[in-house]
Amino acid sequence: GINAEYGKQWYQRRVRGMKAVVILLVVLAVIYCKTPLPMEKKVYIRREHSLIKPYSSMSMDTPMWDYSGSTIVSNNEIRLTPDHQSKSGRVWNTVPLMSRNWEILMDFKVHGAGRTLYGDGFALWYSADRQIMSGPVFGAKNGFKGLAIFFDTYSNHNGEHSHGHPYISAVVHNGTQNYDHDSDGTHNEMAGCQSSFRGQKQDTFISIKYINNVLTVHTDVRGKSKWTKCFEVKNVILPIGYHLGLSASTGDLCDNHDVKMMKLYEVDLVEGQTFNVEEALKLVPSAEGEPDRPHVHPKKKRRFILCTLDNLLYFITIVVILSVIGIGIVVWQKKQEDRRRKRFF
C-alpha cells in the first residue's frame, strides 16, 4: 500500500513537471511568433551608437552625441522639431561606426495639428561629416557623402516621377551629387516605398539592416511586431568610420518629429565575407538601384498659400456655424416678439 501511494505521488509530480515544461514551451512559441523579424545571429548592441531612454540624465553636451537647432531632449523622447514653422534640429553621434555589418532598430513618431497639410519630414544619416549646422536637406546640408534614409511627409513633386506620401527612401551619395528637394529626391534615390507612418496614435518602428553590402528596410507602422518589407538593395558599398545622425525640418508646414529610441546592433560577418579595416576605410560610397534621371522641373506648389487655404477652410467653417447660430437666434427672437404682439392685441 505504501509503495502504491508513493508511486501515485511520484507520477503526479512528474505530470505536473511535464505540464510546466509544456506551458513554458507554449509561452516561448508565442513570443517567437509575435516577432516575425528576428535579429540576425550573433548581434551585439553598441551603446555608444545608440539612443536609449530614459534621457533624463542626458544634456546638450552628452559625450557621444551632439545636439543642435530646435532639438529638445525630454525623459522619453528626442524631439528634433516642434510643431512650428521654420524649425530644424539635429543629433549626431561623435563616435565613428567601425562595424562592417550592422542593424538599426528605431522607434519614432511623426505627428502634429495639421490634418491635410504637414511637413517636411526627417532623415537618418550615415555620413562622413557630422552636420551640426542647418541645411536644406531635412535640416542638414546638401552634397553629403554616405547613406541617407529619408522619411518624407510632404510631396513637393507633381511631375513624371511623383509618388504618394508619406514616403521612405534611401539615397547613397559620394559627395558630388546634390539632393533635389523640389523633386523629393526621386532622380537619384536607390529605392523607396510609401508608408503611412505619419499621424499614427502609436509609435512606428523601422529596421534598417546593412549586411554583406545589402541594405534592407522593414517597417512596423502599427506597432504590433508585424513587419512589412519596404525595400532591399544589393551591392551597396559603404565605408566604415562614418557617423550616425538624425535631422528634421519644417517650413511653411510643420510637424513634431520625435525619436523615442534608436539601437544599433553589430552583426558578425556572414559566411564568405571578408573584412579589411584599411580597405574598408577607403571605400567610396556607391550603390546599384535606379540610375540618376535628368531633372524635370515640376510645377511649383505654393505651400504657404496652400497652408493659408487650409486654415481659411477651418475659418470659413467656423464663420458658417456662427452665422447659422446667429440667424437662429434672430428668428427665435422675432417669433417671440410676434407672440407678445398677438397677446397685446
Side-chain angles (χ1 to χ4, degrees):
I2 295 174
N3 290 335
E5 183 66 20
Y6 176 80
K8 184 178 180 180
Q9 292 177 356
W10 177 84
Y11 176 77
Q12 290 175 345
R13 286 197 298 271
R14 188 172 182 181
V15 169
R16 285 196 295 269
M18 292 179 67
K19 285 182 178 179
V21 171
V22 170
I23 292 172
L24 178 61
L25 291 173
V26 169
V27 170
L28 291 174
V30 170
I31 293 173
Y32 179 79
C33 291
K34 284 194 173 184
T35 312
L37 187 69
M39 301 297 292
E40 297 291 331
K41 293 182 179 180
K42 295 184 179 179
V43 297
Y44 315 90
I45 188 169
R46 300 297 301 269
R47 293 187 176 273
E48 68 271 29
H49 302 299
S50 301
L51 293 165
I52 303 173
K53 59 184 179 182
Y55 303 110
S56 55
S57 62
M58 301 180 72
S59 63
M60 300 305 282
D61 58 352
T62 303
M64 292 177 289
W65 293 90
D66 285 335
Y67 303 86
S68 63
S70 62
T71 303
I72 300 174
V73 181
S74 62
N75 190 51
N76 293 316
E77 65 189 17
I78 296 172
R79 175 160 289 177
L80 297 171
T81 69
D83 191 12
H84 300 300
Q85 294 178 333
S86 303
K87 299 293 182 180
S88 68
R90 292 153 298 283
V91 52
W92 281 92
N93 193 197
T94 60
V95 182
L97 178 57
M98 303 299 289
S99 303
R100 178 70 278 179
N101 296 336
W102 44 263
E103 176 176 5
I104 292 173
L105 184 64
M106 185 168 66
D107 173 3
F108 66 95
K109 191 171 185 179
V110 179
H111 59 104
R115 298 184 181 182
T116 59
L117 291 170
Y118 39 79
D120 284 326
F122 74 103
L124 186 149
W125 303 89
Y126 177 64
S127 174
D129 301 319
R130 294 188 298 113
Q131 304 170 35
I132 304 302
M133 302 304 292
S134 180
V137 186
F138 297 97
K141 71 176 186 178
N142 218 331
F144 62 91
K145 190 176 182 180
L147 167 71
I149 306 293
F150 296 127
F151 301 77
D152 195 349
T153 55
Y154 180 81
S155 175
N156 296 281
H157 190 52
N158 275 333
E160 178 184 357
H161 311 298
S162 61
H163 48 65
H165 283 71
Y167 190 74
I168 300 174
S169 63
V171 173
V172 170
H173 281 182
N174 60 17
T176 63
Q177 306 107 311
N178 281 320
Y179 177 82
D180 191 345
H181 189 271
D182 289 339
S183 66
D184 299 321
T186 56
H187 299 286
N188 47 24
E189 74 174 43
M190 294 188 299
C193 71
Q194 291 182 220
S195 177
S196 57
F197 61 80
R198 195 268 174 193
Q200 296 291 334
K201 293 182 179 179
Q202 70 289 331
D203 298 350
T204 298
F205 295 84
I206 188 167
S207 164
I208 303 167
K209 294 182 182 181
Y210 179 64
I211 299 173
N212 197 22
N213 297 338
V214 178
L215 180 70
T216 309
V217 173
H218 288 81
T219 60
D220 175 18
V221 173
R222 306 298 178 187
K224 296 182 178 180
S225 295
K226 294 182 179 179
W227 295 88
T228 301
K229 189 173 184 179
C230 182
F231 58 80
E232 178 180 295
V233 184
K234 298 179 179 179
N235 298 320
V236 177
I237 307 302
L238 296 174
I240 61 172
Y242 282 16
H243 293 269
L244 292 172
L246 293 159
S247 70
S249 66
T250 65
D252 296 325
L253 307 179
C254 47
D255 251 341
N256 297 304
H257 297 94
D258 302 336
V259 175
K260 309 292 182 142
M261 172 274 294
M262 186 180 79
K263 294 180 180 179
L264 182 130
Y265 298 88
E266 181 176 315
V267 181
D268 277 355
L269 299 179
V270 300
E271 186 177 353
Q273 185 181 13
T274 59
F275 179 37
N276 182 289
V277 174
E278 292 184 0
E279 292 179 358
L281 285 167
K282 298 176 182 178
L283 291 173
V284 177
S286 64
E288 290 187 354
E290 296 187 28
D292 285 7
R293 296 185 288 269
H295 176 64
V296 178
H297 289 283
K299 295 179 181 178
K300 274 274 189 178
K301 288 185 178 181
R302 301 188 65 183
R303 295 167 32 146
F304 182 74
I305 293 177
L306 284 174
C307 188
T308 304
L309 288 175
D310 193 36
N311 294 331
L312 185 61
L313 180 62
Y314 294 119
F315 176 75
I316 291 173
T317 303
I318 293 172
V319 170
V320 169
I321 293 173
L322 292 176
S323 299
V324 170
I325 294 173
I327 293 171
I329 292 173
V330 171
V331 171
W332 180 80
Q333 288 177 339
K334 188 175 181 181
K335 287 183 177 180
Q336 292 295 107
E337 188 176 346
D338 290 342
R339 287 176 182 175
R340 285 197 297 269
R341 288 177 178 174
K342 287 180 180 179
R343 289 195 193 117
F344 182 76
F345 292 107

